[in-house]
Amino acid sequence: MKTLIRAQDEMFRLAADKVCSLLREKPDAALTLAAGRTMFPLWELLCEAAAGGEADFSAARFFQTAEFLGVPEEKSLRRLTEERLLRKIGIPEENCFWLTEENAGRYDEAIRRCGGLDLAVLGLGVNARIGYNEPGTQFSTGCRVQKLTGKTKQQLAWLFPDAASVPERAVTMGIRTLTQAKEILLLAVGEEKAKAVFDMLYARDDSVIPAAFLQIPANVTVYADPAAGSRL
């Protein structure tokens, strides 16, 4: 695992360059790009790259990392990702694979049929979750339904009008699914992520700290801004 502490502008630019470089080498790469506030600056850079002809997403395959259950469509991560990213970068609808409660058991096989994930770009929860794999998740988990913890629901509150609207459950790629990606980028921003970054890098690679399982794959790069890296 390689860790780079960089100013936010630089870390997002480096991550965007990685995505664009992969697409130049493999135009039909299979990607999963997590959704959330940390990802928005990266999404904007990818949109600019596509608009400027620096990246061609037309043959890329997109796999959704996670989705809420029991929320209105307009509050879904699918809607958020389609509107703020996918329609702007030009990934064809038929190349997008969306997670649902109904297809969770078949999702890992769909990824395998595409040759596996070439790149996973992930955020980090304040409780060191990746995707919606909460503390206690085993390494062997594939795509499945996950009950959300109180900390995760607090972190999601910005998306919803009130606390009662925050979902209780999500469907998510599992730890095994994510760590099997050929390359993994993890982005962490802000002081609230500092403990999670420290735990990810220095905790035992067990289920107490889900992100610590990222110590196992060979090709993992962590990009953190100075606030998120302040405990290192």
Side-chain angles (χ1 to χ4, degrees), residues 22-23 26-32 59-63 111 114-120 181-182:
L22 172 63
L23 289 170
K26 187 177 182 181
D28 65 345
L31 313 170
T32 188
R61 280 84 54 81
F62 172 83
F63 287 86
I111 293 171
C114 283
L117 293 171
D118 293 292
L119 178 65
K182 298 177 182 70

Side-chain angles (χ1 to χ4, degrees), residues 1-7 10-12 14-15 18 38-39 119-124 130 183-189 193-194 196-202 211-226 228-230 232:
M1 181 186 290
K2 180 168 63 177
T3 305
L4 300 176
I5 308 298
R6 297 288 189 273
E10 184 180 359
M11 62 175 270
F12 287 118
L14 289 169
K18 282 271 192 179
T38 298
M39 296 296 136
L119 178 65
V121 184
L122 307 176
L124 182 67
I130 49 175
E183 183 170 9
I184 300 168
L185 308 181
L186 184 134
L187 309 180
V189 172
K193 304 292 180 69
V197 169
F198 178 88
D199 289 344
M200 171 180 61
L201 296 176
Y202 295 111
F213 284 124
L214 294 177
Q215 297 170 20
I216 297 172
N219 198 2
V220 178
T221 304
V222 175
Y223 295 104
D225 73 347
S230 61
L232 302 182

Side-chain angles (χ1 to χ4, degrees), residues 23-198:
L23 289 170
R24 286 191 291 270
E25 295 172 8
K26 187 177 182 181
D28 65 345
L31 313 170
T32 188
L33 307 172
R37 283 182 294 187
T38 298
M39 296 296 136
F40 291 163
L42 173 63
W43 287 8
E44 290 173 6
L45 290 173
L46 295 178
C47 292
E48 290 174 8
E54 299 169 27
D56 182 358
F57 289 85
S58 62
R61 280 84 54 81
F62 172 83
F63 287 86
Q64 188 179 27
T65 310
E67 180 58 276
F68 302 137
L69 296 178
V71 301
E73 181 184 352
E74 63 271 15
K75 290 296 183 181
S76 69
L77 293 175
R78 174 173 179 168
R79 173 71 69 84
L80 179 72
T81 308
E82 285 180 327
E83 292 184 348
R84 296 193 65 153
L85 178 65
L86 298 183
R87 292 174 186 167
K88 296 179 179 180
I89 62 177
I91 295 184
E93 186 175 343
E94 61 269 23
N95 286 4
C96 296
F97 299 81
W98 302 102
L99 256 176
T100 66
E101 188 169 7
E102 292 71 30
N103 73 12
R106 304 185 301 276
Y107 206 71
D108 286 291
E109 179 58 30
I111 293 171
R112 283 192 289 270
R113 287 199 302 269
C114 283
L117 293 171
D118 293 292
L119 178 65
V121 184
L122 307 176
L124 182 67
V126 293
N127 58 358
R129 63 173 172 80
I130 49 175
Y132 286 110
N133 295 286
E134 299 281 19
T137 301
Q138 299 298 308
F139 179 75
S140 60
T141 53
C143 299
R144 74 201 188 286
V145 173
Q146 169 72 57
K147 181 176 172 59
L148 302 180
T149 64
K151 279 190 176 181
T152 294
K153 290 192 288 185
Q154 289 173 11
Q155 198 176 356
L156 294 173
W158 67 277
L159 271 169
F160 297 92
D162 52 60
S165 303
V166 178
E168 295 288 332
R169 302 185 304 152
V171 59
T172 183
M173 288 186 179
I175 297 288
R176 185 188 68 235
T177 314
L178 293 169
T179 56
Q180 286 178 341
K182 298 177 182 70
E183 183 170 9
I184 300 168
L185 308 181
L186 184 134
L187 309 180
V189 172
E191 188 176 358
E192 68 171 1
K193 304 292 180 69
K195 183 179 185 303
V197 169
F198 178 88

